[in-house]
Amino acid sequence: MEIAYKKPEQEPSGWKREPSMPSLPEVHQSLNVPKKAGFFRKLLAFIGPGYLVAVGYMDPGNWATDLAGGSQFGYTLLSVILISNLMAILLQALSGRLGIVTGRDLAQACRDHYSKPVSFGLWVLCELAIAACDLAEVIGAAIALNLLFGLPLIYGVILTSIDVLLVLMLQKKGFRYIEAMVISLMVLIAVCFVFELIFSKPDFAAVAVGFIPTTQIVTNPAMLYIALGILGATVMPHNLYLHSSIVQTRKIEQTIEGKRSAIKFSTIDTTIALMLALFVNAAILILSAAAFHSVGKEVAEIQDAYKLLGPMLGTGAASVLFAVALLASGQNSTLTGTLAGQIVMEGFLNIRLAPWLRRLITRLIAIVPAVIVIGISGEKGATDLLIFSQVILSLQLSFAVIPLVKFTSDRKKMGVLVTPKWMVVLSWFVAVVIAILNVYLLYSTFAG
């Protein structure tokens, strides 16, 4: 049922256009938040959106970059995972704040602030990022099906296109069902990696040193390429659009205090969820470093990691757990990819498509290049495409981050709930660092 849009009473001015409809109208403000309840009961009501966002930080694209980073450079790139995760927490906090305060998702905010040509350009770039992300999910899920059941990659890629039915079924039942499904799969992934770490017996002293940044990451082009892939796989641009929308599924009091409380609980939810994502990403890299780098074996392909884990760790369970976690990761990511695609198209273009049609379009954009590459290059091409897709995501980041920081630091748009000064300074620093690293990556790639 469509919900008639009502402009929030406390919404500040400062926008060139007024919003015409709420973000994700079918689930907008569909979950009640108790007005008079204790801290933990209120927190429970807000738990969910952070985990949907965190899914994107542990999708199959992360697996490829983390495996490559761990096998090639040991524990060194753990610092990149940590820094990327801290950046993600900061930017997702801004994304949630934007949605709660303005009643707009980031795509709607861009449409209501920029000219139509600029807004259209940002939409095209965002669609490219979503296509790259979806490509990683498609290939990752297909690889997992191949490892577990021997299904050829091309058939696995095509099979993943029917997951739209699962998404539609869950969304019709209610948004809480989607959140419950996502959290359950995340717990499964985390449990799998707890056992993987037990099997791999990493050098914990070396792991601790790996979380300390080194200049070698920037000066070594090969390491920088993987590092930016990790950054792109971690701080994902479409997640900023997603989070600014799904925080609005909570029905909060449209007052300054109501919104301030919502920002607090939303930030706690996001931080806890992203720390779980940090554990999973770090675990993949640690596993790769302990199992492969320690014996001088470079492994960038997920299939090779699966085949070698059992013999190297002395238990066949390690390989099975690895593939199960990968399948859960790929399936989880498709759920949030559906929502992100819908939010971006509706927000930027102010048009609505049936969710199944939107999902089918997104899937075709990912499936066609995946089938072509796998058909020509085989399994090796699939892994290269995975890592390349994450670098594309990294290159798109600035076009989402800069508008987000700009909007949330604008008092005319945010009113008294404008982002605190220290957070604004830190956010602009992060935005500039991301932009500089991406320019350096392009220079190194083409100059080399």
Side-chain angles (χ1 to χ4, degrees):
M1 184 180 77
E2 293 289 330
I3 298 175
Y5 184 72
K6 182 180 178 183
K7 180 180 174 182
E9 293 177 10
Q10 300 296 322
E11 183 181 289
S13 58
W15 300 95
K16 294 178 181 178
R17 301 177 190 86
E18 294 300 319
S20 57
M21 65 178 180
S23 186
L24 287 180
E26 59 271 21
V27 291
H28 184 73
Q29 294 188 0
S30 60
L31 300 174
N32 286 318
V33 175
K35 294 181 181 179
K36 295 181 180 179
F39 176 86
F40 289 105
R41 193 177 163 201
K42 272 201 169 184
L43 179 60
L44 188 63
F46 278 95
I47 285 178
Y51 290 86
L52 265 70
V53 168
V55 163
Y57 297 91
M58 56 176 80
D59 78 339
N62 293 70
W63 290 56
T65 52
D66 292 340
L67 283 171
S71 65
Q72 289 181 47
F73 308 112
Y75 303 109
T76 305
L77 294 180
L78 280 172
S79 59
V80 176
I81 292 177
L82 175 61
I83 292 169
S84 297
N85 207 77
L86 294 175
M87 285 181 176
I89 290 173
L90 173 66
L91 296 175
Q92 293 298 164
L94 292 185
S95 178
R97 178 182 289 265
L98 176 71
I100 290 167
V101 175
T102 68
R104 293 170 169 85
D105 59 54
L106 181 56
Q108 291 174 325
C110 289
R111 188 192 71 220
D112 292 342
H113 175 80
Y114 294 114
S115 66
K116 287 185 178 181
V118 171
S119 183
F120 184 81
L122 289 173
W123 170 69
V124 171
L125 290 170
C126 190
E127 289 289 358
L128 285 173
I130 291 176
C133 179
D134 216 44
L135 183 63
E137 295 159 10
V138 166
I139 294 175
I143 289 173
L145 289 170
N146 172 258
L147 297 177
L148 288 170
F149 308 111
L151 191 69
L153 281 182
I154 288 184
Y155 295 136
V157 165
I158 295 170
L159 184 62
T160 58
S161 62
I162 67 172
D163 64 16
V164 62
L165 299 175
L166 175 63
V167 178
L168 288 173
M169 181 183 73
L170 289 173
Q171 195 159 338
K172 284 180 180 178
K173 282 182 172 291
F175 203 72
R176 269 298 193 195
Y177 283 90
I178 290 182
E179 293 176 346
M181 177 76 171
V182 164
I183 292 172
S184 299
L185 288 172
M186 283 182 68
V187 170
L188 175 62
I189 295 167
V191 169
C192 286
F193 276 105
V194 167
F195 284 104
E196 293 283 22
L197 290 180
I198 293 172
F199 295 146
S200 64
K201 300 175 184 175
D203 180 349
F204 285 105
V207 169
V209 172
F211 281 107
I212 302 172
T214 169
T215 54
Q216 186 185 6
I217 295 169
V218 178
T219 57
N220 182 336
M223 195 178 288
L224 178 63
Y225 183 79
I226 299 294
L228 275 175
I230 291 173
L231 178 66
T234 305
V235 190
M236 304 184 77
H238 77 276
N239 265 346
L240 301 175
Y241 295 94
L242 174 67
H243 196 200
S244 59
S245 173
I246 59 178
V247 291
Q248 299 179 56
T249 56
R250 272 54 183 173
K251 191 173 184 179
I252 63 170
E253 293 183 65
Q254 294 297 318
T255 62
I256 298 299
E257 283 309 310
K259 291 180 179 181
R260 183 174 279 123
S261 175
I263 291 169
K264 179 179 74 173
F265 286 109
S266 172
T267 303
I268 294 172
D269 169 49
T270 304
T271 303
I272 294 172
L274 288 180
M275 292 310 291
L276 178 58
L278 170 63
F279 166 76
V280 171
N281 281 326
I284 296 170
L285 191 141
I286 291 169
L287 175 66
S288 180
F292 307 128
H293 182 74
S294 59
V295 294
K297 181 78 176 175
E298 279 194 20
V299 176
E301 296 188 26
I302 292 175
Q303 298 94 321
D304 288 345
Y306 170 83
K307 292 170 187 173
L308 294 170
L309 275 176
M312 287 190 169
L313 300 184
T315 173
S319 294
V320 175
L321 286 170
F322 182 82
V324 168
L326 177 62
L327 183 60
S329 171
Q331 193 55 57
N332 227 353
S333 301
T334 62
L335 294 172
T336 56
T338 299
L339 295 173
Q342 183 181 343
I343 290 160
V344 166
M345 177 167 279
E346 291 176 359
F348 275 114
L349 304 184
N350 200 26
I351 61 172
R352 285 183 57 78
L353 290 177
W356 67 268
L357 180 58
R358 180 63 186 84
R359 185 57 173 168
L360 192 59
I361 293 171
T362 307
R363 269 305 192 214
L364 285 174
I365 293 172
I367 286 171
V368 171
V371 169
I372 292 172
V373 170
I374 292 169
I376 295 173
S377 306
E379 294 181 358
K380 179 68 169 68
T383 302
D384 289 342
L385 199 57
L386 257 183
I387 296 176
F388 181 64
S389 72
Q390 301 312 298
V391 176
I392 290 175
L393 284 174
S394 184
L395 294 174
Q396 302 298 323
L397 259 178
S398 295
F399 297 101
V401 170
I402 291 174
L404 175 65
V405 176
K406 175 183 171 66
F407 297 152
T408 52
S409 59
D410 186 342
R411 183 171 287 274
K412 289 182 179 179
K413 290 178 170 60
M414 301 290 289
V416 296
L417 295 176
V418 66
T419 307
K421 287 289 184 186
W422 68 268
M423 208 170 173
V424 171
V425 172
L426 197 55
S427 301
W428 278 119
F429 174 75
V430 167
V432 170
V433 166
I434 288 171
I436 290 173
L437 286 176
N438 286 331
V439 169
Y440 185 77
L441 173 71
L442 284 174
Y443 173 77
S444 300
T445 301
F446 290 108

